[in-house]
Amino acid sequence: LIKTKKLLWTRTDEYLTSLPEMTEKRIIKAMEVLEILGQVTYLSGSDYFPILNFKKIWLTLKYGQNVNSAMGFGAYGLLLYVILKDVKGACRFGQLGLSLSSKAIMPRSYVMLYGLIIHWRDNIGITLDPLLNGHKEGLRSGDTEYAWLNAACYNLHQLHSGQASIHTIIQQQRGLLQQAVTSDMIRPTQQAAINLAGQSEDPVVLNGNVMEEEELVKRSAESANIVLEYTIRANAACVAYIFGDHDRASMHCQNIQDIADKTPGNYGVNIQAFYDGMSSYALAKTTANRKKWRKRGRKMMKKFFKWAKECPSNNAHKVLLLKAEDASLFAVQSKKKRKIAEQAYNAAILGAIDSGFINVAAIASERAAEFYMGIGQVEKFSRHITQAYKLYFKWGANGKCENLSKMYPEIEFSIQDGQ
């Protein structure tokens, strides 16, 4: 990384985009091999991924640019974020890679910039249209592997941003799964959406017509595809937490915690950290080992605090919600902690709505309701649980709405509460 950074230190974007065309056949062939190996090493989480992409840049600077130079610069941008936390530099080289892309490899640059980089700076919602376009362009050009990587990122971002109705998501994803060539990468998010909509037998397990959880986890291990495993378990943690199986949510999060650094840029890292923190605080409230689970929850909160500095719209409301959960552990004994929790819950709800995360606003409203129940403020409990129902309904999580109706039969939820 240091060598590459020195080589690029004084090179402007204008200089890099005006490099001559690569003509030496053996170098062109080497770039092709590096590109293929780069795909394999990213999906498998290999330590060779950075080295292979640095090599692309070295060859480009020495011999000129070719079709695979774009991905070299894009991957360098990703590594600037992962290793140095240089979001500005990451976005610069991600954009450079996109500008160097021919139409044929545009889907690859879309994955790099919009699937792996830009959501660490900008609201996740802005990635949706480019990723969908990348999927369509990949199918048109015959680059099916990157077509489906675009689709996988699109589906993941769409569901977990809360910026589209789950019913719309299910319909779109059904269309994708009916195509002649498809990918396992899109199945976990599709099944999670189905579970949330109340269309599965067991909402806390990703089993249904789209996939079987254990079988797909096994397939991901056999193919050494840790990105697929991460996608499965991040989605599984989401549905398990939302439907109240906090042990299962925590189990999924812990199973992938050690490979987070091997899936650089993946938004699943953010999802895993969120449900890891939330399930940890839930377990701190319901198990004897409060100290252990609080420590884990605070560890996740620190991650979001760092991420929020660069991208508040995706992360600040999650910091506030985790802060509220932490303070709520002591709300009965401490008036000060009670006030901190109340303020943080309210700010988290408003912040999530303002950033478009209806899903997180719904979760925060439900957590606030349980907080108020715990301190005996029945009126505020009723108001917040009704608000949670409305937000879950707006998101399209009908299964969760049914779950709330069964949990709180004394509350007369109605269709109007969800409008």
Side-chain angles (χ1 to χ4, degrees):
L1 177 62
I2 294 172
K3 177 181 176 181
T4 308
K5 197 170 176 63
K6 284 182 178 179
L7 286 171
L8 293 169
W9 189 257
T10 59
R11 313 294 174 102
T12 64
D13 288 359
E14 184 180 2
Y15 173 86
L16 295 170
T17 54
S18 62
L19 287 170
E21 192 70 21
M22 188 179 288
T23 56
E24 197 164 329
K25 290 184 179 179
R26 67 183 180 88
I27 304 301
I28 293 172
K29 189 65 179 176
M31 291 286 282
E32 291 173 359
V33 172
L34 289 170
E35 174 63 17
I36 293 168
L37 292 174
Q39 297 173 31
V40 174
T41 53
Y42 180 82
L43 292 174
S44 64
S46 170
D47 293 336
Y48 287 104
F49 175 73
I51 298 167
L52 294 169
N53 284 286
F54 294 150
K55 186 68 174 175
K56 280 188 203 174
I57 293 178
W58 303 342
L59 292 176
T60 297
L61 293 174
K62 187 172 182 179
Y63 295 98
Q65 61 175 292
N66 88 331
V67 68
N68 292 309
S69 299
M71 283 297 284
F73 285 114
Y76 174 67
L78 174 61
L79 293 165
L80 281 177
Y81 172 74
V82 172
I83 299 172
L84 301 179
K85 306 305 177 194
D86 179 3
V87 176
K88 183 178 179 181
C91 291
R92 175 202 165 189
F93 282 97
Q95 293 279 8
L96 177 64
L98 185 61
S99 69
L100 288 171
S101 298
S102 64
K103 197 168 185 181
I105 68 158
M106 196 71 75
R108 303 183 180 200
S109 293
Y110 275 138
V111 167
M112 192 62 67
L113 179 60
Y114 294 106
L116 303 176
I117 294 175
I118 211 162
H119 57 77
W120 298 108
R121 187 192 69 182
D122 299 334
N123 187 279
I124 192 76
I126 74 163
T127 69
L128 298 178
D129 286 343
L131 288 168
L132 185 58
N133 290 337
H135 169 68
K136 293 175 179 177
E137 188 58 43
L139 292 179
R140 276 195 293 267
S141 66
D143 192 352
T144 55
E145 182 172 3
Y146 274 92
W148 290 110
L149 286 174
N150 273 280
C153 292
Y154 172 77
N155 290 345
L156 190 73
H157 294 189
Q158 188 183 39
L159 179 63
H160 294 281
S161 68
Q163 295 184 27
S165 164
I166 287 171
H167 307 302
T168 301
I169 293 170
I170 290 172
Q171 289 303 314
Q172 283 186 335
Q173 293 181 355
R174 278 178 182 159
L176 293 176
L177 287 167
Q178 288 169 1
Q179 295 182 30
V181 179
T182 187
S183 167
D184 281 343
M185 292 289 292
I186 68 170
R187 296 183 187 278
T189 310
Q190 166 77 341
Q191 189 62 55
I194 290 169
N195 286 29
L196 290 164
Q199 299 173 17
S200 60
E201 289 186 14
D202 186 349
V204 304
V205 183
L206 296 180
N207 287 346
N209 294 332
V210 173
M211 63 172 279
E212 294 291 321
E213 190 176 292
E214 285 189 18
E215 180 186 331
L216 198 56
V217 168
K218 183 179 178 182
R219 233 167 35 226
S220 71
E222 289 172 349
S223 60
N225 189 339
I226 65 169
V227 177
L228 174 57
E229 182 186 358
Y230 215 100
T231 305
I232 297 166
R233 294 195 184 278
N235 279 293
C238 165
V239 297
Y241 176 79
I242 286 176
F243 286 103
D245 192 336
H246 304 133
D247 285 302
R248 188 175 184 84
S250 181
M251 176 271 291
H252 280 298
C253 290
Q254 290 183 66
N255 278 340
I256 53 175
Q257 64 177 347
D258 293 334
I259 59 174
D261 292 339
K262 294 183 180 294
T263 58
N266 185 352
Y267 190 65
V269 172
N270 187 292
I271 298 164
Q272 178 267 332
F274 178 62
Y275 290 107
D276 198 341
M278 293 301 291
S279 60
S280 293
Y281 279 119
L283 291 169
K285 295 174 184 179
T286 57
T287 65
N289 204 340
R290 172 179 285 196
K291 186 176 180 180
K292 167 192 167 183
W293 291 114
R294 185 188 182 215
K295 182 178 180 182
R296 188 174 183 87
R298 288 174 68 84
K299 181 180 178 182
M300 297 304 124
M301 181 164 44
K302 286 178 182 177
K303 287 187 178 185
F304 280 102
F305 184 77
K306 290 177 182 177
W307 293 337
K309 288 181 179 179
E310 297 292 350
C311 186
S313 67
N314 290 339
N315 301 296
H317 55 277
K318 293 171 185 170
V319 174
L320 289 164
L321 179 50
L322 290 166
K323 179 181 178 181
E325 288 286 274
D326 188 75
S328 72
L329 292 173
F330 309 97
V332 174
Q333 307 97 318
S334 169
K335 186 176 179 180
K336 181 180 178 181
K337 289 289 186 180
R338 199 179 312 151
K339 184 176 181 181
I340 290 171
E342 185 170 14
Q343 291 176 342
Y345 278 125
N346 290 335
I349 294 165
L350 292 174
I353 291 173
D354 187 54
S355 295
F357 286 82
I358 298 301
N359 52 334
V360 180
I363 292 168
S365 297
E366 184 181 5
R367 297 308 309 148
E370 293 194 16
F371 159 73
Y372 285 120
M373 178 187 281
I375 60 174
Q377 295 192 22
V378 179
E379 185 179 334
K380 287 185 177 180
F381 155 75
S382 181
R383 186 164 70 245
H384 280 81
I385 202 65
T386 300
Q387 178 175 259
Y389 185 97
K390 289 180 180 180
L391 291 166
Y392 280 125
F393 189 92
K394 184 175 182 180
W395 187 30
N398 290 18
K400 178 61 180 179
C401 291
E402 292 173 13
N403 177 257
L404 287 176
S405 295
K406 290 176 183 177
M407 288 175 64
Y408 305 108
E410 71 278 11
I411 304 293
E412 295 184 6
F413 298 116
S414 67
I415 296 298
Q416 284 70 33
D417 286 333
Q419 293 178 341

